[in-house]
Amino acid sequence: SLISKVILPEGDGPFPALIGMVWIPGFGSTGSLPTDIFTSRDIATIEFVHDQVTTYANQFTGAYPPNDDPFFQLYPDQNIDNTGQYSAWAWGVSRLIDGLELVQDSLPIDLKHLAVTGCSYAGKMALFAGALDERIALTIAQESGGGGAPAWRVSETLGGVETLGATDYNWFMNSLNQFTGKNVSKLPHDHHELMAMCAPRALLVTGNTNYE
């Protein structure tokens, strides 16, 4: 089950809607962007609580998401060793949109004008969701770092940034690890192509100028 808070503007609608990647309910569904950017334009906001699909964890602290998370229960052949969480989370965003389609007669959301957003690791999540579901009209990837908008090949040349060898392999399937270091040039794809998957739909990528 996915339970998502929906905040509607006043009026009859239908309203464009922003789906925000959030860790816990009520955490705020606009990433690092001010909420009034959207509410002042009569845009609905919807939370995607990603832990309802698979639990955020951090392998650098020794925390791994359990293989009995809901996504892995639905797909028993998938587990944290062979499936990156971004695949599961993007799948969850698509199921949330399925739900909006089912209730469109009673919930005044304009399904032709859906956006997704998130910041940092959630910026990556928004980018994968937007790339993989063509019902999303606008993808806003905020400060997404390595594994988001930046190409792994470029990150490898920069120094103290999130390289392919320094990302979290809860998020990406473990076999990606074979392309660390000098092997990055052997990747069969890179993230300029991930961004291109959003085309011809709209994509807004933001960075933080305080960081390399």
Side-chain angles (χ1 to χ4, degrees), residues 9 26 29 101 127 136 150 208:
S29 57
E101 291 180 341
L127 181 56
I136 295 169
N208 186 329

Side-chain angles (χ1 to χ4, degrees), residues 25-140:
F27 198 70
S29 57
T30 61
S32 62
L33 298 175
T35 302
D36 63 5
I37 290 176
F38 304 97
T39 56
S40 65
R41 291 169 169 81
D42 288 340
I43 296 171
T45 57
I46 302 171
E47 293 181 348
F48 171 64
V49 185
H50 55 68
D51 275 13
Q52 294 179 126
V53 175
T54 176
T55 310
Y56 175 88
N58 188 325
Q59 69 176 25
F60 301 114
T61 62
Y64 289 84
N67 281 319
D68 62 356
D69 274 353
F71 179 82
F72 301 123
Q73 289 189 46
L74 281 168
Y75 299 100
D77 292 339
Q78 309 300 310
N79 57 62
I80 198 56
D81 296 321
N82 66 21
T83 304
Q85 286 187 288
Y86 283 122
S87 296
W89 285 323
W91 173 92
V93 174
S94 291
R95 302 293 72 76
L96 176 56
I97 297 172
D98 288 349
L100 294 174
E101 291 180 341
L102 289 173
V103 297
Q104 59 185 304
D105 290 340
S106 57
L107 187 66
I109 297 296
D110 180 355
L111 297 174
K112 299 295 185 184
H113 292 89
L114 296 178
V116 291
T117 196
C119 183
S120 191
Y121 81 94
K124 304 187 210 324
M125 195 183 305
L127 181 56
F128 275 94
L132 294 172
D133 196 318
E134 294 184 352
R135 295 172 295 182
I136 295 169
L138 168 63
T139 298
I140 307 172

Side-chain angles (χ1 to χ4, degrees), residues 173-194:
M173 64 184 301
N174 289 346
S175 60
L176 184 68
N177 198 36
Q178 66 187 292
F179 298 107
T180 58
K182 293 180 180 179
N183 287 327
V184 72
S185 62
K186 299 177 182 178
L187 270 174
H189 67 89
D190 215 329
H191 283 232
H192 62 294
E193 294 171 304
L194 177 65

